[in-house]
């Protein structure tokens, strides 16, 4: 039997969804927003490769694919706002990073599990984003999508393909209930589900979306 991919179960609302990340990729985003709205996007050449350590390629390829999906639906790319009043520039990437690292360490994702709530710390999408300093003093809209896969299904393309096949996740990507003005993406070359331990081509993805009213 070929390795199977566990994909995060749907959350009940957009306000209860978000992602996690990889430090080197997070830092890179501070100065490099991938030109995903352009065709072709340079980073798409890495869309069929699983994440690699100390590399932001999977992060950037994932964002390119997300922006392409939005373009297909006549939507503008989500901006990567590096500075908003009263908000650290890396707050969403930091929230995503913390969550993906916890997921890899604890490996609690799996059938019947909630990948958005840390079973050890009880952190949630909203609490992680708040702790990272996002949108202080205001009430943001937030969203999160997560994915883990292996055996050829740990790539950015596999993650985005699954998200877009899920109505709940697709609505988050397309901003059905929020006009996103920021995002954070984090990837890791490992699995968040014990079922995938030791398998090749592994990847875990967390992407956080935010709308912070000015």
């Amino acid at each position: 039997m070929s390795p199977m991919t566990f994909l995060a179960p749907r959350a009940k609302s957009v306000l209860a969804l978000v992602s996690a990340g990889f430090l080197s990729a997070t830092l890179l985003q501070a100065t490099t927003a991938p030109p995903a709205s352009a065709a072709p996007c340079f980073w798409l050449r890495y869309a069929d490769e699983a994440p690699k350590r100390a590399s932001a390629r999977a992060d950037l390829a994932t964002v390119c694919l997300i922006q392409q999906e939005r373009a297909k639906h006549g939507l503008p790319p989500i901006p990567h706002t590096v500075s908003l009043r009263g908000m650290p520039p890396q707050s969403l990437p930091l929230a995503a990073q913390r969550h993906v690292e916890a997921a890899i360490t604890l490996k609690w994702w799996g059938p019947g599990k909630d990948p958005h709530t840390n079973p050890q710390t009880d952190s949630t999408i909203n609490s992680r984003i708040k702790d990272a300093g996002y949108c202080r003093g205001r009430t943001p809209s937030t969203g999160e999508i997560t994915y883990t896969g292996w055996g050829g299904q740990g790539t950015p393309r596999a993650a985005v393909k699954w998200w877009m096949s899920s109505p709940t996740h697709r609505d988050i990507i397309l901003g059905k209930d929020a006009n996103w003005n920021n995002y954070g993406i984090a990837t890791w070359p490992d699995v968040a589900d014990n079922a995938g331990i030791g398998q090749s081509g592994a990847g875990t993805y967390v992407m956080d979306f935010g709308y912070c009213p000015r």
Side-chain angles (χ1 to χ4, degrees):
M1 179 180 295
S2 60
M4 296 182 67
T5 303
F6 166 70
L7 304 159
R10 298 175 185 174
K12 293 183 179 179
S13 71
V14 170
L15 293 180
L17 301 166
V18 180
S19 318
F22 189 38
L23 181 58
S24 68
T26 294
L27 294 177
L28 178 59
Q29 285 186 41
T31 55
T32 307
S37 59
C41 169
F42 172 84
W43 301 102
L44 286 178
R45 65 186 64 192
Y46 305 110
D48 297 305
E49 296 181 7
K52 292 180 172 59
R53 294 190 184 278
S55 171
R57 290 175 177 177
D59 301 56
L60 297 169
T62 303
V63 174
C64 285
L65 291 166
I66 291 290
Q67 306 286 38
Q68 277 197 345
E69 292 295 338
R70 288 176 58 84
K72 290 177 185 177
H73 289 80
L75 298 170
I78 303 170
H80 184 69
T81 309
V82 297
S83 180
L84 289 177
R85 178 174 56 85
M87 182 171 61
Q90 292 299 297
S91 50
L92 284 181
L94 178 60
Q97 172 199 326
R98 288 172 174 173
H99 192 51
V100 81
E101 290 178 353
I104 292 302
T105 299
L106 300 177
K107 299 192 188 309
W108 81 87
W109 296 7
K113 304 294 185 179
D114 178 5
H116 304 289
T117 301
N118 186 312
Q120 189 174 86
T121 66
D122 292 325
S123 75
T124 63
I125 296 164
N126 288 332
S127 69
R128 285 190 298 273
I129 288 179
K130 180 180 179 180
D131 289 346
Y134 183 70
C135 206
R136 287 194 180 112
R138 284 157 286 170
T139 303
S141 296
T142 60
E144 178 173 85
I145 53 179
T146 61
Y147 176 94
T148 193
W150 56 89
Q153 296 300 309
T155 67
R157 196 180 305 279
V160 175
K161 181 179 179 179
W162 188 86
W163 287 331
M164 292 302 294
S165 72
S166 160
T168 300
H169 296 80
R170 183 175 65 246
D171 285 350
I172 295 169
I173 288 171
L174 301 181
K176 180 178 178 181
D177 297 311
N179 184 24
W180 307 127
N181 62 3
N182 208 349
Y183 66 83
I185 175 76
T187 67
W188 200 269
D190 199 345
V191 292
D193 181 345
N194 280 318
I197 291 177
Q199 299 295 328
S200 63
T204 295
Y205 298 73
V206 177
M207 189 165 184
D208 291 342
F209 302 84
Y211 172 76
C212 184
R214 297 176 183 271

